[in-house]
Amino acid sequence: MQKLTAADLVAQISRLDNNRWYLYPSEISQLKITKIVEPEGPIKFVSINLKKEDAKERSGSISSSQLARIASAFSNKPDYPIHIDRVFSASSNSRSALETLLAYTPHFYICYTRFG
């Protein structure tokens, strides 16, 4: 099996519409892609919190190293649910943006679990 790379992820995300707002899985915020540097990133975006009346667009970026790290995690466990927060040790402000964009590509999806 071929190893997934950052370039593969960027290629998939670059197929998304740059003129569209993408709703985060939490449904609290949304984001829009502003720039994609091929072949391996970074990916620039703006996001806005939908729950705040006076919310302003905030810019953010998904780095090449973040893309490489998540590609490696998916390559090491194909067809296995990956907890993105754990891959990044709950750090990085843009991990939820990366999760959101991947969920809109055809090869990834969000999986919810219930506890209790």
Side-chain angles (χ1 to χ4, degrees):
M1 183 170 145
Q2 184 178 340
K3 201 161 178 90
L4 185 66
T5 67
D8 296 327
L9 297 178
V10 170
Q12 287 295 312
I13 292 169
S14 69
R15 291 185 179 115
L16 298 175
D17 184 357
N18 287 3
N19 295 314
R20 177 180 165 196
W21 286 94
Y22 293 95
L23 189 62
Y24 280 67
S26 66
E27 300 183 356
I28 293 172
S29 299
Q30 60 186 8
L31 69 85
K32 184 181 194 180
I33 301 166
T34 57
K35 182 177 181 182
I36 298 176
V37 179
E38 293 193 55
E40 297 180 340
I43 298 171
K44 307 278 186 185
F45 63 90
V46 291
S47 64
I48 190 162
N49 185 320
L50 300 172
K51 301 294 182 186
K52 291 184 181 178
E53 285 187 33
D54 61 343
K56 296 180 180 143
E57 288 182 9
R58 293 182 12 212
S59 60
S61 179
I62 302 166
S63 71
S64 299
S65 63
Q66 287 175 297
L67 290 159
R69 189 170 183 178
I70 201 67
S72 176
F74 283 119
S75 288
N76 290 332
K77 293 202 172 198
D79 302 319
Y80 188 84
I82 301 290
H83 194 290
I84 290 183
D85 282 350
R86 289 190 181 148
V87 172
F88 293 109
S89 301
S91 65
S92 169
N93 290 336
S94 57
R95 71 184 181 278
S96 59
L98 175 56
E99 176 182 51
T100 298
L101 292 174
L102 288 176
Y104 283 96
T105 66
H107 300 293
F108 297 92
Y109 58 92
I110 300 294
C111 177
Y112 297 97
T113 59
R114 289 188 181 225
F115 296 100

